[in-house]
């Protein structure tokens, strides 16, 4: 059964909003529990979302696709006056704030990609004793875990 959201509807049911936003109804309920979106309840205790919640969900989903944690998304949304829906200027301001974090994660992912074959390229999988990648287990002296992948790389030119 399709639950098409009419273009002139001022409110949407959880099913209509989920279908139009391309998310599961459980995701909407989760976002609501997490304080990212709000609904009102009908006399029958059914959720009704204002139409602009669609844009708010799109903002959340776009942010999540960038890898932004829900806590950071919630923080940004809470800064908007009267919990209003983010507009183009809000997105531009927020995305600029997140640019440094994204650039750092891109550098780390590039480092991971470029160094990924170092540990399995020879097939030994013995990083702790590998004389090429980790002679004398030098990385073990720096602490536990995957030391080479945990270190941020320097930006180009530094």
């Amino acid at each position: 059964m399709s639950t098409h959201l009419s273009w002139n509807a001022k409110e949407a049911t959880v099913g209509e909003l989920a279908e139009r936003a391309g998310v599961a109804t459980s995701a909407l309920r989760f976002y609501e529990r997490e304080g990212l979106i709000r609904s009102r309840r009908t006399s029958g205790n059914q959720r009704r979302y204002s139409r602009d919640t669609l844009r708010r969900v799109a903002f959340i989903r776009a942010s999540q696709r960038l890898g932004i944690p829900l806590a950071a998304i919630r923080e940004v949304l809470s800064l908007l006056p009267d919990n209003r829906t983010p507009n183009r200027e809000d997105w531009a301001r927020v995305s600029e704030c997140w640019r440094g974090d994204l650039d750092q994660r891109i550098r780390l992912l590039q480092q991971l990609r470029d160094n990924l074959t170092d540990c399995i390229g020879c097939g030994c999988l013995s990083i702790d004793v590998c004389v090429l990648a980790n002679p004398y287990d030098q990385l073990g002296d720096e602490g536990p875990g995957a030391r080479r992948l945990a270190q941020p790389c320097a930006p180009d030119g530094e």
Side-chain angles (χ1 to χ4, degrees), residues 32 35-40 48-50 53 56 82-83:
E32 191 170 348
L36 299 167
I37 62 175
R38 294 187 304 187
S39 69
R40 75 170 184 86
R48 292 293 185 267
Y49 298 94
S50 64
T53 304
R56 200 170 175 97
D82 299 322
N83 285 319

Side-chain angles (χ1 to χ4, degrees), residues 54-145:
L54 182 58
R55 190 171 347 129
R56 200 170 175 97
V57 171
F59 180 93
I60 294 164
R61 298 293 293 156
S63 301
Q64 285 182 306
R65 277 191 220 104
L66 294 172
I68 305 298
L70 281 180
I73 298 168
R74 182 185 312 103
E75 182 181 330
V76 164
L77 290 173
S78 72
L79 297 175
L80 298 176
D82 299 322
N83 285 319
R84 71 171 166 73
T85 298
N87 59 30
R88 187 181 311 266
E89 291 78 27
D90 295 325
W91 179 251
R93 194 169 57 249
V94 166
S95 63
E96 188 59 37
C97 291
W98 288 342
R99 184 176 300 278
D101 178 56
L102 292 171
D103 288 343
Q104 176 65 14
R105 282 195 273 149
I106 288 168
R107 284 192 296 274
L108 287 171
L109 285 170
Q110 287 173 331
Q111 180 185 16
L112 173 61
R113 179 203 60 210
D114 294 346
N115 294 323
L116 187 59
T117 56
D118 287 352
C119 63
I120 60 174
C122 67
C124 75
L125 297 178
S126 299
I127 284 301
D128 61 331
V129 295
C130 181
V131 295
L132 298 175
N134 188 16
Y136 309 108
D137 193 20
Q138 293 169 337
L139 295 174
D141 294 337
E142 295 177 19

Side-chain angles (χ1 to χ4, degrees), residues 4-75:
H4 182 71
L5 179 61
S6 170
W7 68 270
N8 61 352
K10 295 194 183 329
E11 290 187 321
T13 67
V14 68
E16 290 168 339
L17 184 62
E19 180 180 40
R20 181 62 179 86
V23 300
T25 57
S26 59
L28 295 176
R29 289 188 291 272
F30 174 75
Y31 292 157
E32 191 170 348
R33 271 193 318 275
E34 293 295 312
L36 299 167
I37 62 175
R38 294 187 304 187
S39 69
R40 75 170 184 86
R41 296 299 183 121
T42 66
S43 58
N45 203 30
Q46 295 177 331
R47 289 176 167 87
R48 292 293 185 267
Y49 298 94
S50 64
R51 185 171 182 89
D52 67 344
T53 304
L54 182 58
R55 190 171 347 129
R56 200 170 175 97
V57 171
F59 180 93
I60 294 164
R61 298 293 293 156
S63 301
Q64 285 182 306
R65 277 191 220 104
L66 294 172
I68 305 298
L70 281 180
I73 298 168
R74 182 185 312 103
E75 182 181 330

